[in-house]
Amino acid sequence: MTEDIIVELKVKNPRVTEELTKVIASIEGFRLDKRFPDKPCDLLILEIGDDLKEEFKLIHTMQSSKKVGSIYLTSSRLEPEVLIEALRAGAREFFSQPIKVEEVRRALLKFKETRTKYTDGKAKKRKGKLIHIIGSKGGVGVTTIAVNLAAGLVGHDRSVALVDMNLTFSELPIFLDVKESFDWAEIGKNISRVDSTLLKSSLYKHPSGIFLLTSPTGLDGVNQTTPDTIGKLMEVMQSTFEYTIIDGGPLLEDLSLKIMETADTVIVVGVLNLLSLNNIKRLLWTFQNLGYPKKETIKIILNRYEKDPVLTVKESEQSIDHSFSWLIPNDFKTTMTAINLGKIILEVGKNTDISKSFRDLAASILGGSVPEKEKTGFWNKFKKTGL
Ligand SMILES: Nc1ncnc2c1ncn2[C@@H]1O[C@H](COP(=O)(O)OP(=O)(O)OP(=O)(O)O)[C@@H](O)[C@H]1O
Ligand SMILES: [Mg+2]
């Protein structure tokens, strides 16, 4: 997986912002991170000139926080003192204003070249995150959550694959209106030859941008696939995609357990009734006895949440001795419309609470915590910790 170079702009002048945005967008491998301005970035382009003392203090703080890889400066002021201070502060480039597009372009290409050499030299391979979703019962909403969480992550420009681990009834192709695609038993037959390029070209790419790996039809494919093969396949998935989401269905079996061994997050989906809560308790107990997944990687999502439930959230959390990380509202009409049209909820019900819930869920996974101003009304209605 080639990592994008994340660039952040702290520039007041709108014209300069517009020009820099255009140049950055025109070079493959750069991504402007607008949503989470306080997240770490590889390159910060900062405008100075209003209050040099404060600005250089800020540069120093950012450099020592290690949240910023490199800093480029831009200013409409060209006095020697500004340039000297910029050099002292360790700025790698200084763009005078008005911006010369070619100059910025050259600097960015140089940045990319240096970075490629550095990462190649270290043979650094980034590992994508593996999120395994399982149900505390059949029909609690695992496939709905897997599809729409994947769509939410794709909406944030992340590369995402969705894997169906339902061994008998594969429903992902119906949810996404996919007629034909390769399944993991077929790909697993040549596991020793499978690399990122082969994998990406074999998987079906949904118009939303999600890559899909289906489960085999019939039990032959399942029986031919060993946990070892699935483990190796997941390694390739993780080196290819930033996020691999597993629709694990409601069952624990050897193949799913193999994936769970290394999953970064295991989401258990429940609903507010005694059967589901009881099953969550049993699952947590089973995980504890197995020794994996670890408690801190297990997140419980409560689906089909309605206000004023018979069993309250607090009582339910106490009964399972685990808190819920997220609540997804009940919205049968939107979920059914999405399934019947073979579309994602984010598309058919753009302004519904359930759609916002999935968008915020994806944001919480990406950002750890989401800045106040990014939180939608839904978020404020149901306070949750996030994933
Ligand atoms: N938040 C929700 N609000 C209302 N209905 C929902 C919600 N989430 C899922 N559903 C409905 O519940 C049904 C089951 O959902 P889904 O197929 O996602 O569950 P599942 O856990 O994957 O089921 P299975 O165990 O059969 O694979 C579907 O009809 C779906 O529309
Ligand atoms: Mg399902």
Side-chain angles (χ1 to χ4, degrees):
M1 178 170 40
T2 8
E3 284 179 59
D4 278 342
I5 295 167
I6 311 291
V7 187
E8 191 192 325
L9 292 185
K10 274 191 197 296
V11 175
K12 283 189 190 147
N13 183 324
R15 177 144 181 79
V16 175
T17 305
E18 192 189 325
E19 280 173 336
L20 289 174
T21 306
K22 263 198 218 149
V23 189
I24 293 163
S26 72
I27 308 176
E28 168 76 23
F30 282 89
R31 186 168 75 213
L32 198 57
D33 215 344
K34 287 186 198 147
R35 284 189 59 89
F36 301 115
D38 290 326
K39 256 180 52 181
C41 65
D42 301 304
L43 175 63
L44 171 74
I45 305 184
L46 176 73
E47 184 173 28
I48 54 167
D50 280 353
D51 180 347
L52 292 176
K53 206 167 156 212
E54 278 307 306
E55 286 156 356
F56 284 113
K57 222 158 82 191
L58 174 72
I59 295 175
H60 185 71
T61 316
M62 281 189 295
Q63 278 175 331
S64 41
S65 77
K66 303 234 179 327
K67 277 194 164 177
V68 174
S70 293
I71 299 181
Y72 288 181
L73 298 179
T74 176
S75 180
S76 55
R77 291 178 54 179
L78 292 175
E79 302 99 282
E81 74 192 74
V82 179
L83 297 171
I84 289 167
E85 277 302 326
L87 276 175
R88 271 203 196 125
R92 297 283 176 87
E93 297 280 347
F94 183 91
F95 306 128
S96 54
Q97 294 175 10
I99 292 289
K100 294 179 199 71
V101 170
E102 258 322 296
E103 188 189 354
V104 179
R105 205 180 148 73
R106 235 177 291 128
L108 291 177
L109 287 171
K110 196 168 89 191
F111 186 96
K112 186 170 151 181
E113 194 188 335
T114 316
R115 166 101 148 212
T116 312
K117 267 191 210 149
Y118 173 75
T119 41
D120 284 358
K122 282 178 90 183
K124 207 172 128 199
K125 239 196 202 167
R126 196 168 73 169
K127 226 174 142 202
K129 295 258 184 270
L130 189 56
I131 302 179
H132 193 133
I133 312 179
I134 62 160
S136 56
K137 249 167 73 60
V140 287
V142 174
T143 308
T144 303
I145 294 173
V147 166
N148 291 287
L149 173 57
L153 290 166
V154 163
H156 285 279
D157 275 344
R158 297 312 199 267
S159 59
V160 183
L162 198 49
V163 184
D164 195 347
M165 287 309 296
N166 287 277
L167 304 190
T168 323
F169 301 116
S170 170
E171 292 177 348
L172 272 181
I174 301 167
F175 272 68
L176 292 171
D177 194 22
V178 176
K179 302 284 179 287
E180 266 180 60
S181 69
F182 273 107
D183 61 63
W184 38 258
E186 273 171 279
I187 293 179
K189 280 183 204 156
N190 297 311
I191 193 68
S192 58
R193 286 199 297 115
V194 177
D195 59 10
S196 286
T197 317
L198 182 64
L199 185 70
K200 236 176 164 173
S201 61
S202 311
L203 301 194
Y204 171 83
K205 189 175 181 191
H206 185 260
S208 62
I210 302 170
F211 285 83
L212 188 66
L213 182 54
T214 47
S215 52
T217 326
L219 282 178
D220 282 356
V222 174
N223 293 336
Q224 282 158 13
T225 312
T226 63
D228 192 39
T229 302
I230 282 289
K232 287 190 179 129
L233 184 53
M234 287 306 129
E235 276 176 29
V236 188
M237 296 290 289
Q238 283 183 274
S239 61
T240 312
F241 300 101
E242 286 169 281
Y243 289 90
T244 300
I245 314 273
I246 313 290
D247 174 351
L251 297 174
L252 284 181
E253 36 64 45
D254 287 352
L255 299 180
S256 287
L257 283 170
K258 181 69 193 175
I259 301 178
M260 243 174 236
E261 263 179 37
T262 55
D264 297 278
T265 306
V266 171
I267 295 176
V268 178
V269 182
V271 287
L272 272 188
N273 67 41
L274 274 184
L275 295 176
S276 167
L277 291 172
N278 198 41
N279 284 357
I280 294 177
K281 239 165 56 184
R282 291 169 72 152
L283 269 175
L284 294 175
W285 182 83
T286 307
F287 291 153
Q288 203 180 344
N289 280 328
L290 275 171
Y292 66 88
K294 295 269 170 264
K295 193 169 180 193
E296 56 279 12
T297 63
I298 305 169
K299 308 285 170 185
I300 302 179
I301 292 187
L302 199 62
N303 191 23
R304 309 198 66 166
Y305 177 72
E306 285 183 291
K307 274 210 206 135
D308 307 322
V310 180
L311 286 170
T312 67
V313 167
K314 204 158 170 212
E315 282 166 354
S316 308
E317 288 180 328
Q318 278 165 354
S319 79
I320 60 168
D321 194 23
H322 206 293
S323 57
F324 301 138
S325 298
W326 205 260
L327 310 180
I328 296 174
N330 189 49
D331 184 343
F332 190 68
K333 191 167 158 232
T334 310
T335 49
M336 269 330 271
T337 309
I339 295 173
N340 288 336
L341 295 175
K343 290 187 181 257
I344 51 181
I345 288 177
L346 297 171
E347 201 184 337
V348 299
K350 271 198 184 98
N351 297 317
T352 55
D353 272 353
I354 189 164
S355 185
K356 287 177 198 150
S357 175
F358 283 118
R359 269 203 300 272
D360 284 351
L361 177 62
S364 99
I365 287 176
L366 293 174
S369 69
V370 178
E372 276 311 312
K373 65 179 168 52
E374 298 287 344
K375 294 180 180 179
T376 65
F378 177 84
W379 195 302
N380 296 324
K381 241 195 283 179
F382 306 94
K383 300 249 183 255
K384 301 156 290 325
T385 54
L387 260 66

